[in-house]
Amino acid sequence: MMKAVRGMRDVFGEEMATWHRVEQIFRTVSAAFGYHEFRTPMLEHTELFARGVGEGSDIVGKEMYTFLDRGGDSVTMRPEMTAPIVRAAIEHNILRHQPTSRLWYYGPLFRYERPQKGRYRQFHQFGAELLGSPHPEADAEIIMLAYETLRAVGAKLIEGVALEINTLGTASTREAYREALVQHFVAHRSTLSEDSQRRLDTNPLRILDSKHPDDQSLIADAPALRTYLDEAAHMHFDTVRLLLDAAGIPYTVNDRLVRGLDYYSHTVFEITTTQLGSQNAVCGGGRYDPLFEMVGGTPAPAVGFSIGVERLVLLLEQMEGGLQPPSRVQVAVIALAEEARLPAQLVALRLRRDGVSVITDVQRRSAKAQLNAAVKEQAQYAILLGTDELAAGTAMVKNLATASQETVSVERISPYLQQHLGVKAR
Ligand code: HAM
């Protein structure tokens, strides 16, 4: 039997309703904050991620789906959305037309990670990027948008998550800190875990994220980033905190939070949950002022976040004790005689144009089998068309829950159903 590629999931049935629900929330909350949807291609030049996300990051180092296309160009299936958005902003000169650009996106991403619950090789993110502002108000707005999205998804959900924030200062702060960390760890290189030894050469800040027991005492003794921050960085971070406090958004400062991508500066944040085992991050983000320049553009400040949609859907299932029922078919049009098959299709089409959800028979089944199918689909009404009804220009409208039925002229079916189903006429 052919199966889906490892780490890639099919979404269907009851789970689909939960996806639709969260997708609707992404649209509504983004609109409330004045963000516009942006779509970029699934493939980008490999160089974009190598330069933007960073050669030392896990993503570029070992997780990308990269291949040569038929013309011999190296392309990569996007592992994240921030670098593509910045590439597009530079390419279309977006900041010249709109100096403060508020953008959101939703779509699939690809990372060759070890699959487990909540971690897939194709997954989806909803995210937002605020381009053009260097000020802490922008950082706070982005954190609020992330938080309000999760709040809109579920009151219970927001109680079960924790927001952690930190600041990395400017790019030069980060560089000085990087050197200090290398000095600290290199003296004890052989006692570090294998992963951390590798990171010492590629991305020493990431050693701070290690959960490996061998690394913990060295991490605890590592110099604190805080001491490397300049006055401006402290002020920026303090204002972000002030704004979050004023908005009543609870957070903790975690000065070991560094995030795995190379483009960050100043504020970084993560929203985590204890409900998903080891895949505990639901949302990650931060300010990335260096990125425009890293990918060849004029420097521009920016801040953003991404929420993992599979993790959100899993959380919702767990917290609400199951999935939402899928939206139901409302009406089945049933042909009681051979000559009613074509008119049944036409009645169905008319109702569909009026916004009613309708199924008809496409298997040339008996009237009884059609009725059974209507019941199985949990339709609320059946519209029965027989020889007598055809001759009289009417139909029998049957309420499948109460079994009561009424004869209604064909012209009146739509208003009749709209009244009974509460559907708005279009
Ligand atoms: P990230 O932390 O790599 O950040 O990913 C953000 C979120 O995507 C994670 O918190 C998680 O919920 C979800 N996620 C990541 N990898 C997987 C996976 N393999 N399977 C399922 N879910 C996953 C970024 O991608 C940055 N672009 C965020 C950002 C936007 N920073 C600034 N703007």
Side-chain angles (χ1 to χ4, degrees):
M1 188 184 37
M2 290 266 246
K3 288 190 168 174
V5 172
R6 189 163 131 81
M8 307 209 174
R9 311 178 57 240
D10 300 308
V11 177
F12 60 98
E14 292 183 334
E15 190 186 333
M16 205 73 234
T18 309
W19 281 77
H20 286 163
R21 197 170 124 204
V22 298
E23 287 163 7
Q24 187 53 45
I25 289 168
F26 299 155
R27 294 199 162 80
T28 314
V29 181
S30 310
F33 277 73
Y35 283 63
H36 302 284
E37 187 171 5
F38 205 102
R39 296 188 188 181
T40 64
M42 227 65 83
L43 288 181
E44 296 279 354
H45 294 294
T46 303
E47 195 191 353
L48 173 68
F49 301 111
R51 282 165 62 173
V53 177
E55 302 276 6
S57 66
D58 283 352
I59 293 179
V60 175
K62 52 183 189 184
E63 294 170 1
M64 292 204 304
Y65 282 88
T66 296
F67 57 94
L68 294 181
D69 68 11
R70 287 177 189 276
D73 289 332
S74 178
V75 291
T76 292
M77 296 173 74
R78 59 187 193 189
E80 64 101 52
M81 279 296 294
T82 308
I85 291 276
V86 167
R87 190 267 309 141
I90 296 168
E91 183 171 339
H92 306 294
N93 237 324
I94 283 176
L95 286 176
R96 205 179 61 208
H97 304 297
Q98 186 68 267
T100 311
S101 290
R102 294 181 162 90
L103 309 172
W104 71 271
Y105 50 81
Y106 166 63
L109 302 155
F110 305 86
R111 293 184 193 175
Y112 194 81
E113 294 193 77
R114 200 167 49 77
Q116 55 177 258
K117 187 179 174 192
R119 187 164 73 197
Y120 310 101
R121 291 180 173 174
Q122 176 177 324
F123 63 99
H124 295 71
Q125 282 181 350
F126 158 71
E129 312 291 349
L130 172 42
L131 312 179
S133 166
H135 299 295
E137 286 76 6
D139 309 41
E141 176 174 305
I142 275 292
I143 296 175
M144 280 182 218
L145 174 50
Y147 194 81
E148 290 306 312
T149 303
L150 298 179
R151 187 210 297 281
V153 169
K156 268 196 209 152
L157 189 140
I158 202 72
E159 282 162 25
V161 299
L163 166 64
E164 292 187 340
I165 63 173
N166 191 24
T167 177
L168 303 178
T170 59
S172 55
T173 312
R174 205 178 140 135
E175 200 36 53
Y177 184 54
R178 184 190 149 100
E179 275 166 29
L181 278 186
V182 171
Q183 261 183 19
H184 169 76
F185 286 118
V186 87
H188 312 274
R189 185 178 197 114
S190 57
T191 64
L192 285 171
S193 68
E194 211 177 294
D195 250 357
S196 291
Q197 291 195 24
R198 188 176 49 78
R199 285 179 171 153
L200 191 52
D201 302 317
T202 56
N203 197 350
L205 265 70
R206 288 279 286 164
I207 297 177
L208 302 180
D209 282 347
S210 164
K211 307 272 184 304
H212 201 287
D214 291 357
D215 300 333
Q216 296 316 306
S217 65
L218 273 179
I219 290 175
D221 292 343
L225 179 70
R226 219 176 313 116
T227 53
Y228 289 80
L229 295 175
D230 61 17
E231 186 56 27
H234 277 297
M235 272 173 60
H236 185 101
F237 194 53
D238 288 348
T239 310
V240 174
R241 294 186 56 180
L242 198 78
L243 292 163
L244 294 179
D245 290 339
I249 293 181
Y251 62 84
T252 51
V253 175
N254 171 2
D255 63 6
R256 296 290 190 223
L257 179 69
V258 291
R259 307 264 309 131
L261 303 90
D262 277 3
Y263 47 59
Y264 291 113
S265 63
H266 289 287
T267 317
V268 287
F269 64 97
E270 256 173 27
I271 302 179
T272 55
T273 167
T274 50
Q275 317 283 316
L276 288 179
S278 59
Q279 298 315 304
N280 62 356
V282 187
C283 171
R287 174 166 284 284
Y288 51 93
D289 295 349
L291 183 56
F292 273 75
E293 213 175 352
M294 285 161 81
V295 299
T298 314
V303 53
F305 73 85
S306 311
I307 289 176
V309 183
E310 280 78 2
R311 293 186 191 175
L312 201 57
V313 167
L314 274 171
L315 269 180
L316 260 181
E317 272 170 41
Q318 282 180 14
M319 290 193 171
E320 301 195 342
L323 295 159
Q324 300 292 306
S327 64
R328 280 178 10 200
V329 163
Q330 294 169 309
V331 173
V333 182
I334 290 167
L336 298 177
E338 275 309 306
E339 64 270 31
R341 291 200 190 274
L342 175 68
Q345 296 290 343
L346 301 182
V347 167
L349 181 60
R350 208 143 116 189
L351 291 174
R352 288 167 177 156
R353 285 184 175 154
D354 288 339
V356 183
S357 160
V358 184
I359 53 163
T360 56
D361 179 52
V362 289
Q363 297 285 16
R364 301 193 172 174
R365 285 174 299 194
S366 68
K368 184 159 184 281
Q370 291 179 55
L371 206 54
N372 287 342
V375 171
K376 196 165 173 209
E377 287 278 351
Q378 296 182 295
Q380 289 154 273
Y381 286 89
I383 295 173
L384 308 162
L385 283 177
T387 322
D388 294 349
E389 285 80 12
L390 283 181
T394 61
M396 192 77 84
V397 181
K398 181 170 182 171
N399 181 327
L400 291 173
T402 63
S404 66
Q405 50 189 41
E406 257 183 83
T407 301
V408 179
S409 78
V410 168
E411 278 69 45
R412 297 270 321 134
I413 300 175
S414 194
Y416 178 94
L417 287 174
Q418 283 171 1
Q419 189 191 346
H420 286 78
L421 292 166
V423 182
K424 275 200 207 83
R426 281 195 294 198

